[in-house]
Structures are given as C-alpha cells and as structure tokens.
Amino acid sequence: MAKPTVVVFTGNSNIGFSAIEYLVNNFAEKVHIRAVFRSKGNAACLQELENQDVAQQIEVVTGDIKKKQILAPVFEGASVAFFATPTTQDRADLGKLFVDACFDHGVPNCVLMSVACADKKETVYQRQFAELEEYAMKRDGRSVTLKVADKGLLKFAPIIVRSVPFFQNFYGSLPGIKKGILYYPLEDGDLFHVDLNDVGKAVAHILIDPAKHRSQIYTITGESQDGTMIAGTISMKAGFQCEYKSVPDDIAVLAFNKLGLQEWIAEGNVETLKFFREGGGRGMSTGDFAAITGQKQYKFATFVKEYIRPMVA
C-alpha cells in the first residue's frame, strides 16, 4: 500500500525545514514527503539533514503559489499540505492562494501557520493572519475538486497552527549578550516564546495523521518569562553574568533595522513584544503541544545551554 503524500511548502522555510527534519527522523516509514521550493537551488538545505538515506527519498518539486499553471505537480495525490506562511506583506493573499490551490487540486487537509491570538486583531501581524484564518475557516466543509470520479464527497478542512515568538529570535541579541547585557523592549512585562523546532514537531505530527486535527486551531505557547528571568537564565546556562535592560520601542525598532530586518518587520516584531508585555497573551491555551505530540516542550534554559552558550563562549 502506497504511503500518503504530505506536502511541505516551502521546504527551506524555518518551520517547513524543521517539520521535514522531524518527519525524516521519526515518520519516514509512514508518509511520502514532498518538499516544495521556489527554485531548485533552495533544495540544497536538504543536504543538512543527518539521515541522508531517508533524505534522498524526499520528492523535490519546484513551485510558486502565484503561478497556478505550474502547481499540479505540487499537490497531485496529496492527502495534506502545509503552508509555512512567509514573512511578506502580502502573506494573507499568498495563504489564500494556497487554500484555493488545495481546493483546485483535491487536497482535503490544509495546514496553515499563524500567530498567537490572531483573532484579537490588535497587531499588524494578527490582522494579517486573521484575514487568512477567516478565509480558510469559511471554506471548512466544502467539497474539493477531484480529477476522477468527483462526487463532491471529499471535504476541505483547514488546520491552523498559531505560534508565539521563537527562542531563536535572541540570536539577534548576541552582540549585547556577549557584553553581558540583554537589551529588549519588555519593560516589566512577560514574553511568551517557544522553540522553533517544537512548532515544526507539532506540524509534523499533524501531517502524519491530519484526520485527528481537521478544523482545529492550535496555539504553541512555550514559556512565559520577563526580561530579568530571561537574562538570569542566560547567566545560569551560558556561564557568565548577563543583565537585563529594557529599551524603548523606537530604539528596539532601530536595532532590528540594523540587523537587516525590513522596517515593517522590525515594527511588527516590536509591536508583538508590546502586545505580550502588556498582558495580551493571558488566557492562551498552554496544552496544545502536549495534546498534539504527547511530549514535553523544549525549555529555554536548554536552548541557552545548547545553542547560545557555544556562540558567546
């Protein structure tokens, strides 16, 4: 019996690659992985996978969600497709095109990345993703199109995976951390953050058995820490003293600009941090990761020890 095909679009996105890596290491016998890239050169990231015997079995396809005429090989025969919603100002529109493509090519299960508390629509990011979520959810239960023997029985179901910011965002703070200071615009508030790979792991678990998750909205939350706790964890696990200093939002935007982020992304990131520090994340579900994976989440302290410490040693 042929293994079901799961589509990861795109394979070189942060969450896309993380999901592929987890599928390769844990579920290669259960699914056929189809990794989609906008260009063949981007598929070079698959060479970084440790298990190259399985990695060689990944089906590599090129595709651009804006080019409908070349999407048939992307979705053909797939039971589920994941869209790692990109960091672009038109991402809601791109996500809608992905939803449409699932309908056009008979894919009943559509997994979409989103941001925590998108339904509150208080930040630019939340409003972008809320637009996509609403578009997908309004189509829940409608029939997708099959090429052969289409009787309208195969129904579409979106699966939304919301996430808080990633631990990995602190890589941008390494210059200050190396000098013993964590500059961050949290004031006295808390930040919800999570390991990027835990989000990829949750996506992978959904992809191997989408029937259990149809029409669900999940939030992967991680830990809640204030700036002093974050700096204290860095001090304890990186092996040197680190002090937290809050910075004004406008200064944080300038700092993110200097790191190479586009202005709208720098502003969006700071606005997101403001949302959390002012208590916007209170009331979020905290058990979705365990419910999806049956596992405990990766801790920020472990992340600092395994990743931050070698970079500042």
Side-chain angles (χ1 to χ4, degrees):
M1 183 176 177
K3 295 185 288 186
T5 294
V6 301
V7 172
V8 178
F9 195 127
T10 61
N12 59 317
S13 62
N14 288 333
I15 300 301
F17 181 81
S18 177
I20 288 173
E21 185 173 40
Y22 194 79
L23 288 170
V24 164
N25 291 337
N26 297 276
F27 300 121
E29 76 287 353
K30 292 188 176 182
V31 294
H32 171 68
I33 305 167
R34 180 179 296 154
V36 185
F37 302 90
R38 292 190 65 186
S39 68
K40 289 183 178 179
N42 290 340
C45 67
L46 299 179
Q47 297 174 13
E48 300 173 17
L49 295 170
E50 186 174 342
N51 190 337
Q52 279 298 303
D53 288 339
V54 175
Q56 295 299 319
Q57 300 172 32
I58 295 173
E59 180 185 0
V60 174
V61 177
T62 56
D64 186 330
I65 201 62
K66 293 181 179 179
K67 299 178 179 178
K68 295 182 179 181
Q69 69 276 15
I70 63 170
L71 290 178
V74 170
F75 296 99
E76 184 177 6
S79 59
V80 58
F82 168 65
F83 188 60
T85 315
T87 308
T88 59
Q89 288 181 295
D90 64 344
R91 56 184 166 193
D93 292 332
L94 298 180
K96 291 175 186 178
L97 290 175
F98 189 83
V99 170
D100 293 344
C102 286
F103 270 94
D104 293 342
H105 298 280
V107 181
N109 301 296
C110 174
V111 186
L112 299 168
M113 276 305 305
S114 185
V115 294
C117 305
D119 53 310
K120 293 190 175 183
K121 303 181 185 179
E122 293 184 23
T123 70
V124 169
Y125 290 174
Q126 288 170 353
R127 289 188 290 274
Q128 289 174 332
F129 282 99
E131 182 180 343
L132 172 56
E133 287 188 14
E134 290 169 2
Y135 185 87
M137 285 310 221
K138 284 180 181 177
R139 285 152 180 76
D140 188 17
R142 296 185 187 178
S143 299
V144 299
T145 303
L146 297 177
K147 288 183 178 180
V148 181
D150 188 0
K151 297 181 180 180
L153 299 179
L154 196 60
K155 306 297 184 181
F156 176 82
I159 304 165
I160 309 295
V161 181
R162 296 174 176 173
S163 174
V164 297
F166 303 136
F167 295 163
Q168 285 77 3
N169 291 348
F170 283 104
Y171 289 150
S173 299
L174 284 175
I177 291 173
K178 288 179 180 179
K179 296 177 182 179
I181 302 176
L182 171 66
Y183 297 102
Y184 230 60
L186 291 178
E187 299 179 355
D188 295 325
D190 289 354
L191 168 67
F192 281 88
H193 57 165
V194 69
D195 180 43
L196 180 155
N197 292 308
D198 272 353
V199 182
K201 185 184 295 185
V203 169
H205 275 269
I206 291 169
L207 291 175
I208 63 162
D209 193 4
K212 293 198 306 186
H213 307 283
R214 287 169 61 83
S215 310
Q216 297 300 308
I217 298 178
Y218 296 114
T219 303
I220 312 302
T221 53
E223 299 176 62
S224 175
Q225 299 173 303
D226 63 25
T228 300
M229 292 174 63
I230 294 169
T233 301
I234 293 171
S235 296
M236 201 165 28
K237 296 299 181 179
F240 68 94
Q241 191 62 33
C242 183
E243 177 187 1
Y244 165 65
K245 287 190 177 182
S246 184
V247 295
D249 288 349
D250 58 341
I251 300 300
V253 170
L254 289 173
F256 285 142
N257 280 153
K258 288 184 178 180
L259 289 173
L261 297 183
Q262 298 175 47
E263 186 169 354
W264 79 273
I265 298 174
E267 292 175 350
N269 286 357
V270 172
E271 185 182 38
T272 297
L273 295 173
K274 180 182 178 181
F275 171 82
F276 284 113
R277 79 176 183 230
E278 293 182 349
R282 293 190 189 119
M284 288 190 301
S285 170
T286 58
D288 288 350
F289 178 83
I292 294 168
T293 68
Q295 301 175 26
K296 294 182 179 180
Q297 291 193 256
Y298 189 73
K299 294 293 186 180
F300 181 66
T302 308
F303 170 77
V304 172
K305 181 179 179 180
E306 295 184 350
Y307 293 98
I308 297 293
R309 181 170 182 160
M311 293 182 178
V312 298

